[in-house]
Coordinates of all heavy atoms in Angstrom, one line a residue:
Y18 N 27.3 8.8 -6.1 CA 27.3 10.2 -6.5 C 28.4 10.9 -5.8 O 29.0 11.8 -6.4 CB 25.9 10.8 -6.2 CG 24.8 10.2 -6.7 CD1 23.6 10.1 -6.2 CD2 24.7 9.5 -8.0 CE1 22.4 9.4 -6.5 CE2 23.6 8.8 -8.5 CZ 22.4 8.8 -7.8 OH 21.4 8.2 -8.3
G19 N 28.6 10.6 -4.6 CA 29.6 11.3 -3.8 C 30.9 11.1 -4.4 O 31.7 12.0 -4.7
L20 N 31.3 9.8 -4.7 CA 32.6 9.5 -5.3 C 32.7 10.1 -6.6 O 33.8 10.6 -6.9 CB 32.6 8.0 -5.5 CG 32.9 7.2 -4.2 CD1 33.0 5.7 -4.5 CD2 34.3 7.6 -3.7
M21 N 31.7 10.2 -7.4 CA 31.7 10.9 -8.7 C 32.2 12.2 -8.6 O 33.0 12.8 -9.3 CB 30.5 10.8 -9.4 CG 30.6 10.0 -10.7 SD 28.9 10.0 -11.5 CE 28.8 11.6 -12.4
L22 N 31.5 13.0 -7.7 CA 31.9 14.4 -7.4 C 33.3 14.5 -7.1 O 34.0 15.3 -7.6 CB 31.0 14.9 -6.2 CG 31.1 16.4 -6.0 CD1 30.5 17.1 -7.1 CD2 30.4 16.8 -4.7
V23 N 33.8 13.6 -6.1 CA 35.3 13.7 -5.6 C 36.2 13.5 -6.9 O 37.1 14.3 -7.2 CB 35.6 12.6 -4.6 CG1 37.0 12.6 -4.3 CG2 34.8 13.0 -3.4
A24 N 35.9 12.5 -7.7 CA 36.6 12.2 -9.0 C 36.7 13.5 -9.8 O 37.8 13.8 -10.4 CB 36.1 11.1 -9.6
L25 N 35.6 14.1 -10.0 CA 35.6 15.3 -10.9 C 36.5 16.4 -10.4 O 37.2 16.9 -11.2 CB 34.1 15.8 -10.9 CG 33.3 15.4 -12.2 CD1 31.9 15.8 -12.1 CD2 34.0 15.9 -13.4
V26 N 36.4 16.5 -9.2 CA 37.1 17.6 -8.5 C 38.7 17.3 -8.6 O 39.5 18.1 -9.1 CB 36.9 17.8 -7.0 CG1 37.9 18.7 -6.3 CG2 35.4 18.3 -6.8
V27 N 39.1 16.0 -8.4 CA 40.4 15.5 -8.5 C 41.0 15.8 -9.9 O 42.0 16.4 -10.2 CB 40.6 14.1 -7.9 CG1 42.0 13.7 -8.3 CG2 40.4 14.1 -6.4
L28 N 40.2 15.2 -10.8 CA 40.5 15.3 -12.2 C 40.8 16.7 -12.7 O 41.9 17.0 -13.3 CB 39.5 14.7 -13.1 CG 39.8 14.4 -14.5 CD1 40.9 13.3 -14.6 CD2 38.6 14.0 -15.3
S29 N 39.9 17.6 -12.3 CA 40.1 18.9 -12.7 C 41.3 19.7 -12.1 O 41.9 20.3 -12.9 CB 38.8 19.7 -12.5 OG 38.6 19.8 -11.1
T30 N 41.5 19.4 -10.9 CA 42.7 20.0 -10.4 C 44.0 19.5 -11.0 O 44.9 20.3 -11.3 CB 42.9 19.9 -8.8 OG1 42.5 18.5 -8.6 CG2 42.0 20.8 -8.0
V31 N 44.0 18.2 -11.3 CA 45.2 17.7 -11.9 C 45.5 18.4 -13.3 O 46.6 18.9 -13.6 CB 45.1 16.1 -12.2 CG1 46.1 15.6 -13.1 CG2 45.1 15.5 -10.8
I32 N 44.4 18.4 -14.0 CA 44.5 19.0 -15.4 C 44.8 20.5 -15.4 O 45.8 21.0 -15.9 CB 43.2 18.7 -16.3 CG1 43.1 17.3 -16.5 CG2 43.4 19.5 -17.6 CD1 41.8 16.9 -17.1
F33 N 44.0 21.2 -14.6 CA 44.2 22.7 -14.5 C 45.6 23.0 -14.0 O 46.3 23.8 -14.4 CB 43.2 23.3 -13.6 CG 41.9 23.6 -14.3 CD1 40.7 23.0 -14.1 CD2 41.9 24.7 -15.3 CE1 39.6 23.4 -14.7 CE2 40.8 25.0 -16.0 CZ 39.5 24.3 -15.6
G34 N 45.9 22.1 -13.0 CA 47.3 22.4 -12.3 C 48.4 22.2 -13.3 O 49.2 23.1 -13.3
N35 N 48.4 21.2 -14.1 CA 49.4 21.0 -15.1 C 49.6 22.1 -16.0 O 50.7 22.6 -16.2 CB 49.0 19.8 -16.0 CG 50.1 18.6 -16.0 OD1 51.1 19.1 -15.5 ND2 49.8 17.5 -16.3
N36 N 48.5 22.6 -16.4 CA 48.5 23.7 -17.4 C 49.0 25.0 -16.9 O 49.7 25.8 -17.4 CB 47.2 23.8 -18.1 CG 47.3 23.5 -19.6 OD1 48.4 22.9 -20.0 ND2 46.3 23.8 -20.3
Y37 N 48.3 25.3 -15.8 CA 48.5 26.8 -15.4 C 49.2 26.7 -14.0 O 49.8 27.8 -13.8 CB 47.1 27.4 -15.2 CG 46.4 27.4 -16.5 CD1 45.3 26.7 -16.6 CD2 46.8 28.2 -17.5 CE1 44.5 26.7 -17.8 CE2 46.1 28.2 -18.7 CZ 44.9 27.4 -18.8 OH 44.2 27.5 -20.0
G38 N 49.2 25.8 -13.2 CA 49.7 26.0 -11.9 C 51.1 25.7 -11.7 O 51.8 26.5 -11.1
R39 N 51.6 24.6 -12.3 CA 53.0 24.1 -11.9 C 54.1 25.1 -12.5 O 55.2 25.3 -11.9 CB 53.2 22.7 -12.2 CG 52.2 21.8 -11.3 CD 52.9 20.6 -10.9 NE 51.9 19.8 -10.3 CZ 51.6 18.6 -10.7 NH1 52.3 18.1 -11.8 NH2 50.7 17.9 -10.1
Q40 N 53.9 25.3 -13.9 CA 55.0 26.0 -14.6 C 54.9 27.4 -14.4 O 53.8 27.9 -14.2 CB 55.0 25.6 -16.0 CG 55.8 24.4 -16.3 CD 55.5 23.9 -17.8 OE1 54.4 23.9 -18.2 NE2 56.6 23.5 -18.4
E41 N 56.1 28.1 -14.4 CA 56.1 29.5 -14.3 C 55.3 30.0 -15.6 O 55.6 29.6 -16.7 CB 57.4 30.0 -14.3 CG 58.0 30.2 -12.9 CD 59.4 30.7 -13.0 OE1 59.6 31.8 -13.4 OE2 60.4 29.9 -12.8
K42 N 54.6 31.1 -15.3 CA 54.0 31.8 -16.5 C 54.9 32.8 -17.1 O 55.6 33.5 -16.4 CB 52.7 32.3 -16.2 CG 51.6 31.2 -16.4 CD 50.2 31.9 -16.1 CE 49.2 30.7 -15.9 NZ 48.0 31.2 -15.2
T43 N 54.9 32.8 -18.4 CA 55.8 33.8 -19.0 C 54.9 34.7 -19.8 O 53.9 34.2 -20.4 CB 56.7 33.2 -20.0 OG1 57.3 32.0 -19.4 CG2 57.8 34.0 -20.5
T44 N 55.3 35.9 -19.8 CA 54.5 36.8 -20.8 C 55.1 36.8 -22.1 O 56.3 36.4 -22.3 CB 54.3 38.3 -20.2 OG1 55.7 38.8 -20.2 CG2 53.7 38.3 -18.8
L45 N 54.4 37.4 -23.1 CA 54.9 37.4 -24.4 C 56.2 38.3 -24.4 O 57.2 38.0 -25.0 CB 53.9 38.1 -25.3 CG 54.1 38.0 -26.7 CD1 54.1 36.5 -27.1 CD2 52.8 38.6 -27.4
A46 N 56.2 39.3 -23.5 CA 57.4 40.2 -23.5 C 58.6 39.5 -23.0 O 59.7 39.7 -23.5 CB 57.0 41.3 -22.6
D47 N 58.5 38.5 -22.1 CA 59.5 37.7 -21.7 C 60.2 36.9 -22.8 O 61.5 37.0 -23.0 CB 59.2 36.8 -20.6 CG 58.7 37.5 -19.3 OD1 59.2 38.6 -19.1 OD2 57.9 36.9 -18.6
V48 N 59.3 36.3 -23.6 CA 59.9 35.5 -24.7 C 60.6 36.4 -25.7 O 61.7 36.2 -26.2 CB 58.7 34.8 -25.5 CG1 59.3 34.0 -26.6 CG2 58.0 33.8 -24.5
L49 N 60.0 37.6 -26.0 CA 60.5 38.5 -27.0 C 61.9 39.0 -26.5 O 62.8 39.1 -27.3 CB 59.7 39.7 -27.1 CG 58.4 39.5 -28.0 CD1 57.6 40.8 -28.1 CD2 58.8 39.0 -29.3
E50 N 62.0 39.2 -25.2 CA 63.3 39.6 -24.7 C 64.4 38.7 -24.9 O 65.5 39.0 -25.3 CB 63.2 39.8 -23.0 CG 64.1 40.8 -22.5 CD 63.9 40.9 -21.0 OE1 62.7 41.4 -20.7 OE2 64.7 40.7 -20.2
Y51 N 64.0 37.4 -24.8 CA 65.1 36.3 -25.1 C 65.5 36.4 -26.5 O 66.6 36.3 -26.9 CB 64.5 35.0 -24.8 CG 64.6 34.4 -23.3 CD1 63.5 34.4 -22.6 CD2 65.9 34.1 -22.9 CE1 63.6 33.9 -21.2 CE2 66.0 33.7 -21.5 CZ 64.9 33.6 -20.7 OH 65.1 33.3 -19.5
I52 N 64.3 36.6 -27.4 CA 64.7 36.5 -28.8 C 65.5 37.7 -29.3 O 66.4 37.5 -30.0 CB 63.3 36.5 -29.6 CG1 62.6 35.2 -29.3 CG2 63.6 36.7 -31.1 CD1 61.2 35.1 -29.8
N53 N 65.2 38.8 -28.8 CA 65.8 40.0 -29.2 C 67.2 40.3 -28.5 O 67.9 41.2 -28.8 CB 65.0 41.3 -29.0 CG 63.7 41.2 -29.9 OD1 63.9 40.6 -31.1 ND2 62.6 41.7 -29.6
S54 N 67.4 39.5 -27.5 CA 68.6 39.7 -26.7 C 69.9 39.5 -27.4 O 70.0 38.6 -28.3 CB 68.6 38.7 -25.5 OG 69.8 38.6 -25.0
T55 N 70.9 40.4 -27.1 CA 72.1 40.2 -27.7 C 73.0 39.3 -26.9 O 74.1 38.8 -27.5 CB 72.8 41.6 -27.9 OG1 72.7 42.2 -26.5 CG2 72.1 42.5 -28.9
E56 N 72.7 39.0 -25.7 CA 73.3 38.2 -24.9 C 73.5 36.8 -25.4 O 74.5 36.1 -25.4 CB 72.8 38.1 -23.5 CG 73.5 39.2 -22.6 CD 72.9 39.3 -21.2 OE1 72.8 38.2 -20.6 OE2 72.2 40.3 -20.9
Y57 N 72.4 36.3 -25.7 CA 72.3 34.9 -26.3 C 71.7 34.8 -27.6 O 70.8 35.8 -28.0 CB 71.6 33.9 -25.4 CG 70.9 34.5 -24.2 CD1 69.7 35.0 -24.3 CD2 71.5 34.3 -22.9 CE1 69.0 35.5 -23.2 CE2 70.9 34.8 -21.7 CZ 69.6 35.6 -21.9 OH 69.0 35.9 -20.9
K58 N 72.0 33.8 -28.3 CA 71.4 33.7 -29.7 C 70.5 32.6 -29.7 O 70.7 31.4 -29.4 CB 72.6 33.3 -30.7 CG 72.2 32.9 -32.0 CD 71.8 34.1 -32.9 CE 71.4 33.7 -34.3 NZ 70.5 34.6 -34.9
V59 N 69.2 32.9 -29.8 CA 68.1 31.8 -29.8 C 68.2 31.1 -31.2 O 68.2 31.7 -32.3 CB 66.7 32.4 -29.7 CG1 65.7 31.4 -29.7 CG2 66.7 33.3 -28.3
T60 N 68.4 29.8 -31.0 CA 68.4 28.9 -32.3 C 67.0 28.4 -32.6 O 66.7 28.6 -33.8 CB 69.4 27.8 -32.1 OG1 69.0 27.1 -30.9 CG2 70.8 28.3 -31.9
S61 N 66.3 28.0 -31.7 CA 65.0 27.5 -32.2 C 64.0 27.6 -31.0 O 64.3 27.7 -29.9 CB 65.1 25.9 -32.5 OG 65.2 25.2 -31.4
V62 N 62.8 27.7 -31.4 CA 61.7 27.9 -30.5 C 60.7 26.8 -30.8 O 60.2 26.7 -31.9 CB 61.0 29.3 -30.6 CG1 60.0 29.3 -29.4 CG2 62.1 30.4 -30.5
E63 N 60.3 26.0 -29.9 CA 59.2 25.0 -30.0 C 58.1 25.5 -29.3 O 58.2 25.7 -28.1 CB 59.8 23.7 -29.7 CG 60.2 22.8 -30.8 CD 60.7 21.5 -30.3 OE1 59.9 20.7 -29.7 OE2 62.0 21.4 -30.2
V64 N 57.0 25.7 -30.0 CA 55.7 26.0 -29.3 C 54.7 24.8 -29.4 O 54.5 24.4 -30.4 CB 55.0 27.1 -29.9 CG1 53.8 27.6 -29.0 CG2 56.0 28.3 -30.0
N65 N 54.5 24.3 -28.1 CA 53.7 23.1 -28.1 C 52.4 23.4 -27.2 O 52.6 23.5 -25.9 CB 54.4 21.9 -27.6 CG 53.5 20.6 -27.7 OD1 52.3 20.7 -28.0 ND2 54.0 19.5 -27.4
G66 N 51.4 23.8 -27.8 CA 50.2 24.2 -27.0 C 50.7 25.5 -26.3 O 51.0 26.5 -26.9
T67 N 50.7 25.5 -25.0 CA 51.1 26.8 -24.3 C 52.5 26.6 -23.8 O 53.0 27.5 -23.1 CB 50.1 27.0 -23.1 OG1 50.0 25.9 -22.3 CG2 48.7 27.5 -23.6
N68 N 53.0 25.5 -24.1 CA 54.4 25.3 -23.7 C 55.4 25.9 -24.7 O 55.3 25.6 -25.9 CB 54.8 23.9 -23.5 CG 54.3 23.3 -22.1 OD1 54.2 24.1 -21.1 ND2 53.9 22.2 -22.1
V69 N 56.4 26.7 -24.3 CA 57.3 27.2 -25.2 C 58.7 26.7 -24.8 O 59.2 26.8 -23.6 CB 57.4 28.8 -25.0 CG1 58.4 29.3 -26.1 CG2 56.0 29.3 -25.3
K70 N 59.5 26.1 -25.7 CA 60.9 25.7 -25.4 C 61.8 26.5 -26.2 O 61.8 26.4 -27.4 CB 60.9 24.3 -25.6 CG 62.3 23.6 -25.2 CD 62.3 22.1 -25.5 CE 63.7 21.6 -25.2 NZ 64.0 20.3 -25.8
L71 N 62.6 27.3 -25.5 CA 63.6 28.1 -26.2 C 64.9 27.5 -26.1 O 65.4 27.0 -25.1 CB 63.7 29.5 -25.4 CG 62.5 30.5 -25.7 CD1 62.7 31.5 -24.6 CD2 62.7 31.2 -27.1
T72 N 65.6 27.3 -27.3 CA 67.0 26.8 -27.3 C 67.8 27.9 -27.7 O 67.6 28.5 -28.7 CB 67.1 25.6 -28.3 OG1 66.0 24.7 -28.1 CG2 68.3 24.9 -28.1
Y73 N 68.9 28.0 -26.9 CA 69.8 29.2 -27.3 C 71.2 28.9 -27.0 O 71.5 28.0 -26.2 CB 69.3 30.4 -26.5 CG 69.3 30.4 -25.0 CD1 70.5 30.8 -24.3 CD2 68.3 30.0 -24.4 CE1 70.5 30.7 -23.0 CE2 68.3 29.8 -22.9 CZ 69.5 30.2 -22.3 OH 69.5 30.1 -21.0
K74 N 72.1 29.7 -27.5 CA 73.5 29.6 -27.3 C 73.8 30.8 -26.4 O 73.4 32.0 -26.7 CB 74.3 29.7 -28.5 CG 74.3 28.5 -29.4 CD 75.4 28.5 -30.5 CE 75.1 27.3 -31.5 NZ 75.0 27.9 -32.8

Side-chain angles (χ1 to χ4, degrees):
Y18 305 145
L20 279 177
M21 241 180 79
L22 187 69
V23 172
L25 261 173
V26 171
V27 170
L28 190 66
S29 62
T30 38
V31 168
I32 294 167
F33 275 112
N35 235 347
N36 241 13
Y37 301 113
R39 294 219 187 122
Q40 274 172 314
E41 268 178 75
K42 267 187 201 162
T43 315
T44 62
L45 199 55
D47 293 336
V48 177
L49 284 180
E50 205 178 298
Y51 276 110
I52 292 171
N53 295 326
S54 160
T55 47
E56 270 175 60
Y57 8 80
K58 171 77 184 153
V59 175
T60 51
S61 79
V62 184
E63 260 177 70
V64 184
N65 184 354
T67 54
N68 281 331
V69 181
K70 189 178 171 193
L71 282 164
T72 314
Y73 62 92
K74 286 188 190 125

